[in-house]
Amino acid sequence: MTVNTWFAEKMGNHGIHSTYLEDHHPAHMPCLEIRLIDWSSAAQLARQLDMRFTALWAAEGGKHDEHLRYAYMVFAHPKHRHVMLRAALRENEPAVSSISEHFIAAMRMERVIQEMFAIEVSGIPDPRPWLKHEHWPADAHPLCGDFAADTVMPRCPGEYPFIKAEGSGVYEIPVGPVHAGIIEPGHFRFLAVGEHILNLEQRLGYTHKGIEKRLQGQQAEQAIHLASRASGDMTVAFGWAFARAVEAAAGVVIPARASALRAILCERERMANHIGDIGAICNDASFAFMHAQMQRLREDMARLHKQLFGHRLLMDLIKPGGVSVDLNAEQNLLLRQQTSALAIEVESLRSIYADHSGMQERVIGSGPVSLEEAISIGMTGYAGRASGIYVDERVEEAYPPYDRLNVRIPEGRDGDVATRVWVRFEEIAESARLIETLLGDLPDDDLCSAWQAPDAGVSGLACIESWRGEIVCWVRFGNQGRIDRCTLHDPSEVNWLGLELAVRHVPLPDFPLNNKSFNCSYSGNDL
Amino acid sequence: MLRILKKALFTGVKSEVLAEAGEQIETVGPELEAAIKKRFRGSLAIRAVDAGSCNGCELEIHATNNCYYDIERYGIHFTASPRFADMLLVTGPVTRNMETALIMTYEAMPKPSLVVAMGDCAANCGVFGKNNYAIAGAVADIIPVDVVIHGCPPEPTDIIRGILTAISRT
Ligand code: SF4
């Protein structure tokens, strides 16, 4: 594969010198080292070139430069693909300038490198801790090398400074972390006037499980179990992202049958979650019939997954080098029949949903996010598509097997709850079509290539389109095939901001409907 | 409206049709109902708390409510407030950031109350591990637990079974 020099050249034209790192893969998603002083101007250039921001993190140096600390950021261009930039930080008092004026979605990730690595982010508009809650010791920075993974931290006094209400008639409503339904924990602080939401402030981090720290030192075969539980409802996509990143680093090419099976699992995961969520959205608008029907279909899917693959939610079926499950002709037929039957049933339910005036009244026009707003935060997945951002890694990166499929992307415009639901209906139909195509022409080769971890210091990047949007995974290996640093980025990190924008001026009783229409992950955000 | 009725008619009563295939539920069901009738006069209110799960366990709790398992037909329902709850169903390893919220929820319940730790994470911290700065411990390390349901995640049948076991222990 030839090295992608597009962004390096663009930076060169703007006087930003960069060095290509040989031990990072794949070459078309290069890692370029720049000077710390150019950090913010590189981000500004990416913005000018209409690139989107996908992730930002920090890492200590690898095998050859252990004493250093680096900041990393990733941008993607629809045509010219991803580029990773990194800069070495000063050894004493490491600091980096904030890029949030160019990409606001970077700010929460900057808050994370601040608290996890003790890196100062200068010029960050909101320097409050994010995952690190007020009761952690001030000097605890868990991702630093000298912080032991099993440290028992004392509980310290402290309070989180929420945004305060000002003006007459404005009141605060604190909600969570334990929510009313059966959902993940997080805290929402509403500022409201009368019935209407003025501002929503999210306080997350409650499900922080130290995943990135715990991944360190594990072998890839073991680590994938952990990575694929970053968010249990996206287990296939997270497993795939992790596998693809380690495979890129190791130069392992997986068999065509394995990638087809991965895509079948991933599209089934997309269908199951969209079906379940549409039911739940209807339930929030008191349309119980649709909820019951959708949950029935979702259960049918889970049962067939158990029968064919041994797991209702499809966990642990992907491994470095390939997959651990196969389909014989009979199973293939079963899966194909159920998939097409589901698609037909969903379509018939869809027409009932569309004709239900009570339902439509609740969803049309509720919680709109305009295209400008969506671009400014870089919304991804179905939420982005509903507002007019049609990026999809299955089309842009077209990783196998999507390179031989023609994925059709639904093009939403209005960015409201109704459009987010519409996009999800469209995606169910499209996923069913893709699954049927893949099953009809399953390549006849192996399930797995031999897995061999690369040398110490080698890293790999992968981006996978989960049902929620783009997952970014970067892995660097250390000695004896152990993972030395791995970072995972859930699309929710960005889309949570979309929800904050959507619910301004929305009546409070419509919040659950909006929240469900985004259905961002807490666990994937908090890691 | 007509179409809704038609669809509902054609869908039929799924809980009975599929009970044959998933017979575990049927054996669980009547027993469960008898136990609840006796101990809880036909109604058991559960407060579910995610103490840091990956959300996989929550998907399976939701499934216990679908038409095949229909946990409500046994008089079991999920409630929003711990003050009305007879049972706490806890998922996930208890993260350091959820520890206080879990204890507060437990303390808000009328006593005596039942606690079911659901999933490998709730049982022993699962893949996330106990020796982890971000994890306060398994559920039993934080509050008293009556029954543990293993599985990653446990299947709906096992969840209902676990609830039964907890009730017959009181
Ligand atoms: S037991 Fe499994 S499914 Fe449940 S929270 Fe833990 S990892 Fe997720």
Side-chain angles (χ1 to χ4, degrees):
Chain A
M1 173 81 61
T2 47
V3 176
N4 177 356
T5 56
W6 178 76
F7 196 67
E9 284 164 23
K10 294 283 176 198
M11 285 198 295
N13 297 342
H14 286 77
I16 303 174
H17 176 74
S18 65
T19 319
Y20 171 76
L21 299 182
E22 298 283 347
D23 53 8
H24 173 79
H25 307 284
H28 73 281
M29 293 178 171
C31 183
L32 305 171
E33 181 151 341
I34 59 174
R35 290 178 308 166
L36 188 57
I37 193 170
D38 293 326
W39 190 251
S40 179
S41 8
Q44 186 179 12
L45 177 63
R47 179 53 106 183
Q48 283 163 4
L49 295 168
D50 289 330
M51 297 177 85
R52 63 196 153 87
F53 164 82
T54 66
L56 181 146
W57 69 90
E60 288 180 327
K63 186 168 166 56
H64 310 294
D65 45 8
E66 277 163 1
H67 57 291
L68 286 176
R69 242 175 281 189
Y70 294 96
Y72 289 81
M73 54 184 173
V74 182
F75 301 105
H77 188 278
K79 235 183 42 237
H80 303 289
R81 307 315 304 128
H82 293 70
V83 62
M84 264 174 78
L85 301 179
R86 83 166 196 192
L89 308 178
R90 279 195 312 269
E91 282 185 50
N92 298 321
E93 299 177 11
V96 65
S97 48
S98 172
I99 62 160
S100 55
E101 64 173 304
H102 311 300
F103 296 96
I104 190 67
M107 192 167 70
R108 285 179 177 173
M109 301 181 206
E110 291 177 336
R111 288 165 73 178
V112 172
I113 68 169
Q114 212 164 236
E115 64 202 7
M116 292 290 166
F117 272 103
I119 293 167
E120 188 201 327
V121 180
S122 52
I124 185 169
D126 181 354
R128 291 175 298 172
W130 178 236
L131 302 180
K132 178 171 170 172
H133 280 195
E134 57 282 359
H135 48 77
W136 296 27
D139 62 354
H141 303 293
L143 284 173
C144 288
D146 56 6
F147 183 97
D150 59 358
T151 304
V152 179
M153 298 187 293
R155 191 164 279 273
C156 305
E159 203 176 316
Y160 186 75
F162 283 100
I163 295 168
K164 287 279 166 228
E166 277 169 36
S168 69
V170 183
Y171 60 100
E172 287 181 16
I173 310 172
V175 180
V178 179
H179 292 303
I182 304 166
I183 42 171
E184 298 181 83
H187 183 90
F188 298 137
R189 186 68 59 112
F190 296 98
L191 300 185
V193 175
E195 261 220 321
H196 288 264
I197 300 169
L198 211 58
N199 187 55
L200 159 65
E201 183 180 8
Q202 295 154 356
R203 174 87 223 271
L204 303 178
Y206 289 92
T207 69
H208 175 65
K209 293 185 273 295
I211 293 178
E212 293 192 349
K213 186 81 174 180
R214 192 164 172 84
L215 282 166
Q216 296 178 359
Q218 296 195 4
Q219 298 286 338
E221 296 98 316
Q222 178 195 3
I224 194 165
H225 298 297
L226 182 52
S228 55
R229 282 165 178 76
S231 182
D233 47 19
M234 299 152 88
T235 183
V236 174
F238 266 110
W240 196 354
F242 178 84
R244 201 168 148 77
V246 298
E247 286 153 7
V252 169
V253 177
I254 70 165
R257 190 175 182 88
S259 59
L261 284 165
R262 283 181 182 181
I264 290 165
L265 299 172
C266 198
E267 297 303 330
R268 287 281 295 191
E269 181 171 77
R270 192 182 318 274
M271 286 179 76
N273 281 291
H274 283 344
I275 287 174
D277 280 1
I278 291 174
I281 291 167
C282 292
N283 200 39
D284 278 338
S286 308
F287 192 11
F289 161 82
M290 195 61 83
H291 181 58
Q293 292 287 341
M294 291 294 183
Q295 301 321 316
R296 172 177 64 84
L297 298 181
R298 187 177 183 143
E299 177 68 20
D300 289 340
M301 295 188 77
R303 289 182 175 198
L304 190 61
H305 292 157
K306 171 80 181 176
Q307 184 188 336
L308 299 179
F309 307 114
H311 198 285
R312 288 167 49 93
L313 305 182
L314 306 172
M315 280 176 169
D316 301 326
L317 308 180
I318 293 179
K319 58 181 186 177
V323 290
S324 55
V325 283
D326 198 8
L327 289 170
N328 61 29
E330 196 187 323
Q331 294 169 320
N332 184 322
L333 186 66
L334 261 180
L335 190 57
R336 220 186 311 176
Q337 281 170 342
Q338 195 204 46
T339 306
S340 63
L342 274 170
I344 293 167
E345 255 202 271
V346 169
E347 277 308 305
S348 83
L349 289 168
R350 180 186 193 167
S351 67
I352 295 177
Y353 157 87
D355 288 349
H356 193 278
S357 52
M359 187 71 220
Q360 296 307 314
E361 207 174 307
R362 294 288 298 278
V363 294
I364 294 176
S366 184
V369 179
S370 71
L371 178 59
E372 293 69 38
E373 290 171 330
I375 290 176
S376 80
I377 56 177
M379 256 157 65
T380 153
Y382 53 80
R385 272 162 229 142
S387 290
I389 301 182
Y390 309 132
V391 298
D392 190 312
E393 280 299 292
R394 293 173 299 170
V395 175
E396 295 183 1
E397 179 64 16
Y399 46 94
Y402 297 108
D403 52 348
R404 57 191 175 87
L405 299 166
N406 180 19
V407 184
R408 296 181 213 135
I409 306 300
E411 302 190 348
R413 222 170 280 276
D414 296 342
D416 56 354
V417 175
T419 315
R420 287 188 282 276
V421 174
W422 175 83
V423 170
R424 298 173 90 168
F425 269 119
E426 291 288 308
E427 291 191 1
I428 293 169
E430 179 62 0
S431 289
R433 189 185 69 84
L434 295 172
I435 293 168
E436 287 169 59
T437 311
L438 286 163
L439 285 171
D441 179 24
L442 211 50
D444 199 14
D445 57 353
D446 297 335
L447 293 176
C448 208
S449 304
W451 166 251
Q452 171 74 51
D455 292 341
V458 179
S459 66
L461 178 76
C463 302
I464 290 289
E465 193 72 25
S466 74
W467 62 272
R468 278 197 176 96
E470 181 179 353
I471 293 176
V472 180
C473 177
W474 176 76
V475 181
R476 186 181 60 205
F477 282 86
N479 292 324
Q480 286 123 26
R482 293 181 195 285
I483 286 165
D484 151 52
R485 177 86 174 93
C486 171
T487 187
L488 295 159
H489 285 270
D490 185 300
S492 309
E493 284 181 75
V494 175
N495 283 354
W496 273 117
L497 298 169
L499 176 64
E500 282 190 348
L501 289 178
V503 298
R504 287 161 310 169
H505 316 302
V506 161
L508 266 164
D510 279 351
F511 174 75
L513 199 63
N514 272 276
N515 191 18
K516 204 74 213 168
S517 77
F518 275 88
N519 193 12
C520 296
S521 168
Y522 298 71
S523 185
N525 179 82
D526 300 348
L527 289 184
Chain B
M1 198 62 214
L2 268 180
R3 274 194 296 167
I4 295 179
L5 286 174
K6 203 171 128 202
K7 182 81 194 172
L9 271 175
F10 275 111
T11 306
V13 182
K14 285 293 178 184
S15 20
E16 279 182 4
V17 176
L18 265 116
E20 288 167 30
E23 54 174 14
Q24 282 154 307
I25 294 284
E26 281 312 308
T27 57
V28 168
E31 249 183 285
L32 185 56
E33 207 173 7
I36 293 173
K37 279 221 177 92
K38 196 158 148 237
R39 313 273 179 200
F40 292 90
R41 295 182 189 275
S43 161
L44 176 78
I46 301 179
R47 170 70 248 202
V49 172
D50 174 344
S53 101
C54 77
N55 204 28
C57 278
E58 278 57 43
L59 290 180
E60 292 299 52
I61 300 179
H62 280 293
T64 64
N65 263 315
N66 72 35
C67 60
Y68 292 116
Y69 303 102
D70 192 16
I71 194 169
E72 287 206 11
R73 72 182 137 149
Y74 309 119
I76 299 174
H77 67 276
F78 291 89
T79 174
S81 170
R83 304 232 180 254
F84 312 137
D86 309 303
M87 177 185 285
L88 203 58
L89 181 63
V90 190
T91 60
V94 183
T95 64
R96 206 192 132 79
N97 287 350
M98 270 305 284
E99 189 181 358
T100 308
L102 176 63
I103 294 171
M104 284 172 73
T105 309
Y106 175 70
E107 285 176 351
M109 291 170 72
K111 301 289 176 312
S113 58
L114 293 163
V115 177
V116 174
M118 175 195 151
D120 288 346
C121 289
N124 55 28
C125 300
V127 290
F128 304 105
K130 279 200 182 192
N131 305 324
N132 179 334
Y133 72 92
I135 307 288
V139 178
D141 299 328
I142 313 297
I143 55 175
V145 167
D146 295 283
V147 165
V148 172
I149 310 172
H150 291 276
C152 181
E155 297 187 8
T157 313
D158 298 327
I159 299 173
I160 297 175
R161 253 203 195 142
I163 292 169
L164 163 69
T165 314
I167 292 170
S168 43
R169 266 192 47 176
T170 17

